[in-house]
Amino acid sequence: MTGDTRTAGSTGAPWEEAPDCEGPKLPGDPADLAATPRPDRDAEVLALSVDPSLAVAAQTHYETVRADLEAIRAIDPPLADVHVAPGYFDALELWFLGGGLPAWESIWAGKYRAWDCLNEHYGGSYPQPIDGFGFLLRLDGAYGEAVRDAYAALPGLEEADVSRSSICRVSECESAGTIALVATIGLEGDLVTREFRFESKDGVVLQYRVVEGEAPVLVD
């Protein structure tokens, strides 16, 4: 919701005031935010899993993980059919219960402005009402905990929950298993070592370790 929608009947509540989007900086590097959703979803989700407290995966981490996956799949082609599970949220459930009722009423009246800067920064869509006192806010990309926490601080809001789409993507529906990543981060923020765990649907696990500058190695 953007644009000044205040009316003569406005309550004057703080969440109905147009926020100053030039004020406090919101979490997330603008270039990284502009890049999501990235072409390689596996690489983006895994890169974000290295530090889920971020707003979005760092581009350098994404590029590293993408190159690792390409190298591993070149060694073991069947792993190209294994993809990440739905491991990031693509929506937020925002609950205005109890003391949040006045804010909820402002949203219904089209007057709630407190989330304008957040929606502009993170690409939040028009909220969809759910279960009477909640709204579902769609996000197009792979986002981390910093985005949830930013919305959780909205005035009048009592609870912000992560929500994941119930509709899987083609790669998820047809995946032969799942992928997980554990990585160590160097002093310069680079991913020094990466361990990829590919698990098939029947429980077979293959683990590859990648050290910067070296080819992937299959480990026990």
Side-chain angles (χ1 to χ4, degrees), residues 29-164:
D29 180 270
D32 291 336
L33 288 168
T36 191
R38 295 173 171 93
D40 189 329
R41 180 174 176 275
D42 288 341
E44 180 167 27
V45 174
L46 290 172
L48 180 57
S49 73
V50 173
D51 189 353
S53 67
L54 297 175
V56 67
Q59 182 66 20
T60 54
H61 290 179
Y62 166 75
E63 291 172 353
T64 296
V65 174
R66 187 178 189 180
D68 288 346
L69 289 174
E70 289 178 353
I72 292 169
R73 287 163 170 163
I75 295 171
D76 196 342
L79 293 181
D81 294 326
V82 180
H83 302 281
V84 294
Y88 73 94
F89 65 82
D90 57 7
L92 285 173
E93 292 180 358
L94 307 176
W95 295 98
F96 296 83
L97 305 167
L101 183 58
W104 175 85
E105 291 175 338
S106 289
I107 295 173
W108 271 112
K111 301 175 184 178
Y112 192 89
R113 301 294 306 278
W115 54 23
D116 286 3
C117 301
L118 294 175
N119 289 346
E120 180 180 353
H121 194 62
Y122 299 119
S125 66
Y126 188 90
Q128 171 188 346
I130 51 173
D131 294 338
F133 294 96
F135 294 87
L136 188 70
L137 190 75
R138 293 290 183 186
L139 297 163
D140 182 20
Y143 294 94
E145 296 168 2
V147 176
R148 178 201 61 199
D149 294 344
Y151 276 95
L154 285 171
L157 180 70
E158 290 202 349
E159 186 177 351
D161 290 336
V162 169
S163 178
R164 293 183 174 86

Side-chain angles (χ1 to χ4, degrees), residues 47 49-51 54 61 182-193:
S49 73
V50 173
D51 189 353
L54 297 175
H61 290 179
V182 175
T184 58
I185 303 177
L187 296 177
E188 301 299 323
D190 54 325
L191 302 183
V192 181
T193 62

